[in-house]
Amino acid sequence: MTAKAEMEFAVEVEVLGRVRHRNLLGLRGFYAGGEERLIVYDYMPNHSLLTHLHGQLASDCLLDWSRRMSIIIGAAE
């Protein structure tokens, strides 16, 4: 990785570590070694919002537009 990429990763981890919001997972830690970069968050037992909207669970979890807007507004707060 270039020095610029290393710096960008460090800045992103720092920002993510400071973010506190009830709708977001907390950053637990990170690893940067060799060519690997890992970011560790809390475990999500009910999967991510992305999985429910567009992934494997999308067909099981049909969300109408009013429910989707509620989720969007909650995330934006």
Side-chain angles (χ1 to χ4, degrees):
M1 295 195 73
T2 66
K4 181 180 178 187
E6 288 286 338
M7 185 62 140
E8 288 174 358
F9 179 78
V11 168
E12 287 183 34
V13 167
E14 182 181 336
V15 170
L16 293 172
R18 286 187 276 153
V19 172
R20 302 285 184 263
H21 191 278
R22 64 185 174 95
N23 292 334
L24 298 175
L25 291 174
L27 176 68
R28 289 294 177 182
F30 70 95
Y31 169 79
E35 292 296 314
E36 294 182 319
R37 302 294 174 268
L38 304 172
I39 298 177
V40 181
Y41 291 99
D42 292 325
Y43 174 69
M44 292 179 57
N46 295 322
H47 303 282
S48 69
L49 179 59
L50 180 67
T51 302
H52 285 281
L53 294 177
H54 305 289
Q56 297 171 334
L57 301 176
S59 61
D60 297 337
C61 182
L62 298 176
L63 300 174
D64 59 19
W65 282 108
S66 63
R67 178 87 169 145
R68 289 176 185 238
M69 285 301 293
S70 176
I71 292 169
I72 292 167
I73 291 168
E77 290 175 348

